[in-house]
Amino acid sequence: LQEDATGNAFDGGPFVLSEAPISVANPAFKAFLSETQDGLTSSADTKVNFDAIEYDVGGYYDNTTNYRYTPLIAGYYHIVFSASCGGTNTDIDDFILNIVKNDIFVTQGRIHLTSVTNDDLFASSIHTQDIIHMNGTTDYLHCSARVASEDASSPEFRKGKDRTYFSGLLLQRTS
């Protein structure tokens, strides 16, 4: 077929190429907290609401509603979750990070201290990472954390793309 004014044009004729899906060669993303996420309940799992995006190749990260990554390309993804905890006068003695796939914990990172007091892990950063297979249609990832305070104060996740972030990239396609 040849694009011309005779009705054989690609757009508007038998093919509508302007509506064809665009394939993303190498999806990758990095989301972070633009504001401190406070009001956490000590010793309870809390979803981290990464509301800012540094980059999102493919546009698969939702930073406004579900705060999750749903890539539309099946494959193995290298995923990283890093968090910094803090809070005014907060004694933190247990800090757990979870990467969650389809609402099931798949990877965990943890620092736990015993027999110590007074701002133990205050302003500490930890991370966890894994290689996770995503089906390219319904699988999604989000992050949650549990921060325990020995004095029952309210811990918080500290803001900034270098402190509390969620990132990933496609390593190998499977379809």
Side-chain angles (χ1 to χ4, degrees), residues 44 68 80 109 140 161-162:
R68 64 188 187 190
V80 176
Y140 60 89
K161 60 185 171 185
D162 61 334

Side-chain angles (χ1 to χ4, degrees), residues 2 6 9 24 89 102 110 123 139 148-149 157-158:
Q2 188 175 25
T6 64
V24 177
N89 300 319
N102 303 333
R110 182 178 190 181
D139 285 344
S149 173
F157 298 124
R158 299 172 75 210

Side-chain angles (χ1 to χ4, degrees), residues 1-19:
L1 294 173
Q2 188 175 25
E3 183 173 359
D4 57 25
T6 64
N8 290 332
F10 282 109
D11 276 346
F15 303 102
V16 183
L17 296 181
S18 62
E19 295 178 8

